[in-house]
Amino acid sequence: MDKAQIYLAKFDKELSKYPFAVEVETRTKVPKTYIFGGFLALLAVFVFFNIFGELITGLMGFVWPAYQSFKAIEAHDRDLNTQWLTYWTVFGFLNVIEVFSDFLLYWIPFYYAFKAILILYLVLPQFHGAKVVYEKVLEPYLLKKQSVIDADLSKIKAKAAAALGESAKQD
């Protein structure tokens, strides 16, 4: 059995856990691995050529991680909660960077293909990408700047409270 057949068998086993996939296979008489593999390949082509790239990568970064976060919360598993909280911290940080640099990033050829690969790296448990990025990049930076960030947030909070207090007096 060659490697492709081994991966197809693993993919088929994984898809068999989902009644929807089994139902699609039963109704169409087409193996579920071909249907869902073809769909994933089509999404990859779309992202590669930036056809709905922003939408697809946005969904990749939010839908699956949100569902996995829900499952982690319901399981009351500290390790899973830490894993997904780390993901959301890294993902949020990267989204803030993207918002402020989008006018440059969107000129990069195949930007959404690179973004999709990064999201997969962060999400997939085989890589522990969110943990790596957090521990190597975010954690050292945030620990070094924590007191400055906290002081700035306190100032912003005080100014916002003062502004809201003044607007309440005017009403």
Side-chain angles (χ1 to χ4, degrees), residues 105-120:
L105 291 175
Y106 297 129
W107 286 98
I108 297 173
F110 308 112
Y111 168 70
Y112 288 112
F114 292 125
K115 183 178 178 183
I117 292 167
L118 176 63
I119 290 170
L120 289 174

Side-chain angles (χ1 to χ4, degrees), residues 18 24 41 46 55 59 70 99 101 129:
Y18 302 97
V24 168
F46 276 19
L55 174 65
L59 291 173
F70 159 75
V99 165
S101 59

